[in-house]
Amino acid sequence: MIGKSAHPTGVLRANQVGGAEGAVPGSRPDEPASPAWALALLSWFEGHRRDLPWRRDPTPYHVLVSELMLQQTRVDTVVPYYERFLRRFPDFAHLAAASEEEVLRLWTGLGYYSRARHLWQAARQVVARYGGNLPPDRGVLLSLPGVGPYTAGAILSIAFNRPAAAVDGNTARVAGRLLALDATTARGHRELADRIEAAVPPGRARDFTQALMELGALVCLPPPQAPDCGRCPLAAWCLWCKSPQDRSSTGAAGARQPKPGPRVVPRAVLVVACGNRVLVRRRPSRGLLAGMWEFPGTDVREDGPRAAALRTALDLGIALGLGIAGGLGVGQNCGHLGSAEVDLQGPAVHYAHTFSHLRWEVDVYWAKLPPAPGILESTGMEGGAGPPTVLWLRAADLASQVPLPAAFRPVAAFARSLVEGGAPPGG
DNA sequence: TATCCGTGGCC
DNA sequence: TGGCCAAGGAT
């Protein structure tokens, strides 16, 4: 993205852009003038801004929700999630009154699920401490869970129209090229934020922040694509555009260290069906897919996926209070959980799912339990207080009942076919 | 400072 | 098909 070394002459020339020659008179004599490129950028934005749902009424709540959703996530992906979320939770009060479970469910498929929990907690703080009105205070914003320097700057500028820099990936690339600054270092990042903040045209912070990001998204593209300098409103001032011989230091990708591939984690997953219902459980509240639901399963150790599936079945029998009988164990396919006979089949499905740092190789086993009195009423791995961590749910509406990560979609599809079609495929 | 956290689109 | 990455934040 941004190279490691500074432009050899960039600082001096960039300073001249903001100086007397290229400057525009400020609104007051004692205010530093905005550079000419800042006004050119605003003019361009007026003719090229996309109609995005969170731009129609940029309240603090709308901006907070959209910025949390947009962290490391593409605009096209976010739009339907944002609209659904706003229909269900139109303001801080509605979101604060909801359950964490429902917030997670609306976030299902969007990824980075800690963002959903943070947003929910932030809404509760805003209601509890500020009466449902977010104050335009950087310190307060930074105290909200999930809000860092970028998001705080985005809320201050977009929602409150305050002159604050919001340096994200797009802005760092655009302004980094324009001013020949390397935003990959902490020092360069700080200098970039200072320069951007000083460049905000008076009263135009809202549009200025969005214009920088918009230019990065539509024109000043990252590698491996190339910036379309012919359509860029800042080409006349841009040091990257004017110095083709020196682009390696301000816009091209630097030499990257070869990154090791994701760690492979074999995993045995179990679909346990009874009638038209299947068994799901909640994941731990920390770590990967924290608080989301899953089909029960476990990482495969040295003794293979079938043994792992059988161990999971045993754990489930204990969790459900069914008791264990009949010698269900490693190396066998069947046994008894209480009065219910378990006949473990499979693997019926094999698939892979890659996360950022690990790759699940999933073998899906299955078992159909005959209807037995008491089985479907058994929930709760804790066996007492607290929310249930094991539930029987109708296979047809799994997704509408619990937050099920995308990683388990193939399992859910298999579970439906198992319940609806009788004899399942594979096995 | 480096690593972890999800997903889908892209070539 | 596989590796890369995107409107970052928390630890």
Side-chain angles (χ1 to χ4, degrees):
Chain A
M1 188 171 293
I2 309 300
K4 292 297 180 189
S5 62
H7 190 288
T9 61
V11 173
L12 177 61
R13 296 167 65 188
N15 283 342
Q16 288 173 344
V17 169
E21 186 176 302
V24 170
S27 60
R28 296 196 314 227
D30 56 339
E31 270 186 12
S34 299
W37 63 260
L39 296 186
L41 178 62
L42 285 174
S43 296
W44 172 86
F45 184 58
E46 287 169 13
H48 293 84
R49 63 179 289 161
R50 291 171 292 178
D51 178 31
L52 300 173
W54 45 88
R55 285 181 173 169
R56 293 165 193 166
D57 182 17
T59 66
Y61 178 71
H62 292 166
V63 176
L64 177 64
V65 173
S66 65
E67 291 301 338
L68 266 290
M69 286 188 169
L70 285 163
Q71 286 171 8
Q72 300 290 289
T73 310
R74 299 183 190 283
V75 168
D76 291 345
T77 302
V78 166
V79 168
Y81 283 88
Y82 175 86
E83 292 181 325
R84 199 180 323 137
F85 198 91
L86 262 289
R87 279 198 299 275
R88 174 60 186 87
F89 307 122
D91 51 38
F92 281 118
H94 283 82
L95 179 54
S99 69
E100 178 185 322
E101 186 84 6
E102 188 179 9
V103 178
L104 270 182
R105 193 155 54 71
L106 281 179
W107 209 273
T108 297
L110 197 53
Y112 285 132
Y113 297 103
S114 66
R115 295 181 298 174
R117 196 170 5 262
H118 288 153
L119 178 57
W120 175 67
Q121 291 167 340
R124 290 161 64 92
Q125 286 189 21
V126 171
V127 169
R129 299 179 186 174
Y130 313 107
N133 293 307
L134 197 53
D137 182 286
R138 179 179 289 274
V140 168
L141 295 174
L142 288 174
S143 75
L144 299 175
V147 175
Y150 161 74
T151 305
I155 294 172
L156 282 174
S157 58
I158 299 174
F160 293 107
N161 205 24
R162 303 290 175 96
V167 184
D168 68 336
N170 276 325
T171 299
R173 182 176 64 257
V174 172
R177 285 169 171 164
L178 175 74
L179 305 171
L181 286 174
D182 174 14
T184 62
T185 69
R187 196 179 64 81
H189 193 278
R190 276 195 303 275
E191 183 172 353
L192 201 57
D194 290 343
R195 296 281 297 276
I196 291 171
E197 205 157 308
V200 177
R204 303 300 305 277
R206 171 174 296 132
D207 285 343
F208 188 65
T209 288
Q210 297 180 83
L212 274 172
M213 294 191 286
E214 198 78 336
L215 191 68
L218 300 181
V219 176
C220 193
L221 304 175
Q225 303 176 80
D228 191 352
C229 297
R231 293 196 302 121
C232 181
L234 307 186
W237 297 275
C238 180
L239 296 177
W240 191 90
C241 189
K242 286 157 67 173
S243 309
Q245 74 282 1
D246 196 47
R247 287 179 180 181
S248 62
S249 69
T250 56
R256 293 181 182 280
Q257 301 284 351
K259 206 173 55 177
R263 182 170 61 97
V264 176
V265 179
R267 193 174 165 83
V269 168
L270 210 53
V271 174
V272 182
C274 186
N276 65 350
R277 296 186 180 242
V278 295
L279 200 59
V280 290
R281 72 179 178 194
R282 208 164 88 95
R283 292 179 58 84
S285 53
R286 293 183 177 278
L288 186 69
L289 304 171
M292 302 290 283
W293 289 69
E294 67 176 356
F295 289 90
T298 188
D299 293 351
V300 171
R301 307 297 176 187
E302 64 283 345
D303 49 359
R306 177 170 294 275
L310 285 162
R311 277 198 308 274
T312 300
L314 285 169
D315 291 343
L316 286 172
I318 295 170
L320 294 170
L322 296 175
I324 303 295
L328 179 65
V330 174
Q332 296 177 258
N333 280 1
C334 61
H336 291 78
L337 296 179
S339 60
E341 184 167 336
V342 174
D343 188 9
L344 197 64
Q345 310 278 342
V349 176
H350 178 89
Y351 72 96
H353 190 92
T354 302
F355 299 100
S356 54
H357 67 298
L358 63 83
R359 177 181 173 88
W360 279 359
E361 293 283 348
V362 182
D363 280 313
V364 180
Y365 295 79
W366 61 277
K368 273 189 159 181
L369 268 53
I375 289 184
L376 294 185
E377 286 74 28
S378 303
T379 61
M381 197 170 267
E382 316 301 335
T389 56
V390 182
L391 285 177
W392 292 97
L393 293 179
R394 288 200 312 221
D397 47 29
L398 276 169
S400 65
Q401 293 301 309
V402 293
L404 199 68
F408 288 96
R409 283 175 193 163
V411 191
F414 170 75
R416 279 193 295 274
S417 72
L418 177 66
V419 167
E420 294 164 3

